[in-house]
Structure formats: structure tokens, C-alpha cells
Amino acid sequence: MTTPAERLVDLLDLEQIEMNIFRGRSPDESLQRVFGGQVAGQALVAAGRTTDGQRPVHSLHAYFLRPGLPGVPIVYQVERVRDGRSFTTRRVVAVQQGRTIFNLTASFHQPEPGIEQQLPMPEVPGPEKLPKLADEIREHLGTLPEALERMARRQPFDIRYVERLRWSEEELRGAEPRSAVWMRAVGPLGDDPLVHTCALTYASDMMLLDAVRVPVEPLWGSRGFDIASLDHAMWFHRPFRTDEWFLYQQESPIATGARGLARGQIYDRGGRLLVSVMQEGLFRRLGG
């Protein structure tokens, strides 16, 4: 049997069907729509496969245009916008059943020396001192609901919240719109830097909008909002491995007009800032 990490690597291994056209699997799962991080990760794989492999991606900007259908393959069409002396630019359109569901622009940069400075990483307890997400939910509920149990078995990332989850209105009262988790892939992902970058892109969409929800409702349990990613941007600052622990620090500067904005910073255990992330999400109250 394959492990969740192996299934993630396999999910990111696209089939090339033409010079600039790739096809990705979409698992047939009991979800309303395809997970956005999957589409973003696969689109970045398609973009990276059309470069010489010598220039790491340094930024991506993406829009989620329509919900993807689980179980239906997604075709990624790559436009080779520019191959310059230092930068390479690619535009990717994701199509499913003849309809565009997602587009992405990615820029790749030839490594070169430059200035070095960053703000320090927040002081937080290490991941070994924190419970796994599934264990924390079990502790509160006594047992995991069947759907969550299946999800926990398939989850390709070990996730540990820095602060204990809030479950009651009293615990939510006065909470700031912030969240932080330690994460890493549950198994080795190999040595291809593009796989690690695309796996982190996958992970970056998993819980960034948590920061918007923290003051409003428990992060795990009954959901009071229809939530969907609208756009997503990432800046990759340094090389990294996604199968090693990284801290994903998140905050929401504003939520208004049925949309919430969240920003995240991803650090390694040594405190080096690896990636910066921004995302806006739709927040429509259910039954409203």
C-alpha cells in the first residue's frame, strides 16, 4: 500500500500529452469540489516542467475561477510568456470539461547573490511539544467522526496547532484573527526541488483562511460559512524541504463584504523565512 506522502508525489506527477499541455488526476473523493491546493500545486508542476529546471520559482499569482469536479481529470495548458536572461515567466490555464477553472502566473529566477535581511520568527513551542491535529480533535470529541477519520488516514501532512483549538463561544470571545501550525509531509518526498515547492503550494491552501475564522467559529466542527479560496499568491525566498518541519504563521488583517484576507509566513526550524503567502477567500454565512 502507498503512503499519503507517496500519493501526494503521485498526484503532482502530471502526464504530458503535448509540448505545453499536461493532464493531472483529480481523486474521486467525497468532496463538493476539488481542493484548491491540489490545482495550484499541479499547475505549478506544469509551469516548472516547461523550464530548464535551473531557475527556481520565486513567485506565483493565481485565481480560482470555478469549483473543480472531484474524479474528473484536469488539463493544464502552459503559455511560455518569456525566457529572459534572469527570469522565466509562465502562464497556466487549468481546464476541466472544457471550462477554465483556474489560472496561474509563475515567475522563475536564476539564483544570484544579494542583500540578506528578515524580521525574526515568532517564538513558539516546537512541534514535539504539541499534539497531532487528529489527536487533539479526538481528545475533545472522544472519537473522530468517520469522515474525519478517513481524512486523517489520507492526510499527507502532519499538522500541529501552536495554540490549543477553541471549541466554545467563551473560548472564541476576544480571540484575535491569528493562527499558527507546524507542518511537514508525513514521509519523504524525494530530492526534486520542484516537488517540494509544489507540495508546499498544496499545503499553503489547507488552512490559511483559518486566521479569518478564528474569532468567529471553531476551526473543526460544524461550519457556519461557505468558504472558498478566491485568489492566492506566494513568494519563495529560500530553498526548503517540505518533508521537514516548517512553521506556518497566519493572520487576517481584514474581513468585510463576504470576503476575508489572510497572509502567512512560513519559517524553517532555524527561524529562516522561506515563503510569504497571501490569500483572499469568500465567506458566505450558510442559510443567510
Side-chain angles (χ1 to χ4, degrees):
M1 292 182 63
T2 58
T3 67
E6 289 170 336
R7 288 195 292 272
L8 176 60
V9 172
D10 184 59
L11 188 68
L12 296 172
D13 186 18
L14 305 186
E15 174 191 2
Q16 185 165 2
I17 57 179
E18 249 295 350
M19 177 177 285
N20 297 317
I21 302 176
F22 301 82
R23 180 163 48 209
R25 291 190 308 103
S26 181
D28 188 6
E29 299 178 340
S30 55
L31 299 173
Q32 289 183 320
R33 50 184 173 247
V34 174
F35 170 53
Q38 172 200 316
V39 184
Q42 289 181 333
L44 187 58
V45 170
R49 292 272 182 87
T50 66
T51 71
D52 62 9
Q54 302 303 308
R55 298 179 178 186
V57 61
H58 77 88
S59 70
L60 66 82
H61 299 261
Y63 282 91
F64 298 90
L65 304 176
R66 292 185 176 94
L69 300 173
V72 179
I74 302 173
V75 173
Y76 297 91
Q77 303 170 346
V78 182
E79 178 186 355
R80 302 182 184 228
V81 177
R82 180 174 184 266
D83 290 286
R85 288 183 298 177
S86 299
F87 291 89
T88 296
T89 307
R90 296 291 185 261
R91 185 177 296 120
V92 184
V93 176
V95 179
Q96 195 179 50
Q97 295 185 329
R99 304 174 69 188
T100 300
I101 65 170
F102 174 87
N103 62 38
L104 170 145
T105 299
S107 181
F108 301 77
H109 180 212
Q110 179 71 37
E112 56 184 289
I115 62 172
E116 291 283 340
Q117 57 86 8
Q118 70 161 78
L119 294 174
M121 183 180 82
E123 292 188 13
V124 298
E128 294 84 3
K129 299 180 179 179
L130 303 171
K132 294 183 178 181
L133 173 58
D135 293 339
E136 190 169 0
I137 297 175
R138 284 191 193 96
E139 181 183 325
H140 177 77
L141 299 180
T143 184
L144 280 183
E146 184 178 346
L148 281 180
E149 190 68 62
R150 287 198 306 271
M151 186 175 72
R153 289 196 298 268
R154 296 194 306 264
Q155 177 56 255
F157 289 92
D158 186 345
I159 301 169
R160 307 187 185 199
Y161 280 84
V162 170
E163 294 187 1
R164 301 288 287 187
L165 294 174
R166 298 177 173 89
W167 296 94
S168 67
E169 289 187 13
E170 183 178 353
E171 290 176 312
L172 292 172
R173 194 174 298 120
E176 292 187 342
R178 303 177 189 275
S179 182
V181 294
W182 285 102
M183 301 178 70
R184 69 173 175 184
V186 295
L189 298 179
D191 295 321
D192 184 348
L194 181 61
V195 170
H196 286 268
T197 301
C198 296
L200 189 67
T201 300
Y202 177 105
S204 70
D205 187 46
M206 292 179 66
M207 54 192 55
L208 182 53
L209 295 178
D210 277 3
V212 182
R213 295 176 59 206
V214 164
V216 180
E217 65 179 6
L219 299 180
W220 294 89
S222 298
R223 179 174 288 185
F225 295 85
D226 181 21
I227 302 173
S229 302
L230 296 175
D231 61 4
H232 196 77
M234 302 180 72
W235 295 264
F236 301 90
H237 310 304
R238 295 184 170 106
F240 55 84
R241 292 188 63 93
T242 310
D243 49 15
E244 296 178 352
W245 285 114
F246 57 91
L247 176 70
Y248 196 2
Q249 186 83 18
Q250 307 139 23
E251 63 180 1
S252 173
I254 187 169
T256 184
R259 301 190 313 274
L261 182 68
R263 58 192 176 204
Q265 294 177 304
I266 297 175
Y267 300 87
D268 66 13
R269 296 204 64 169
R272 299 188 314 149
L273 181 61
L274 305 174
V275 182
S276 298
V277 192
M278 292 286 289
Q279 184 177 86
E280 188 174 46
L282 178 70
F283 282 78
R284 286 197 181 116
R285 191 174 292 278
L286 294 173

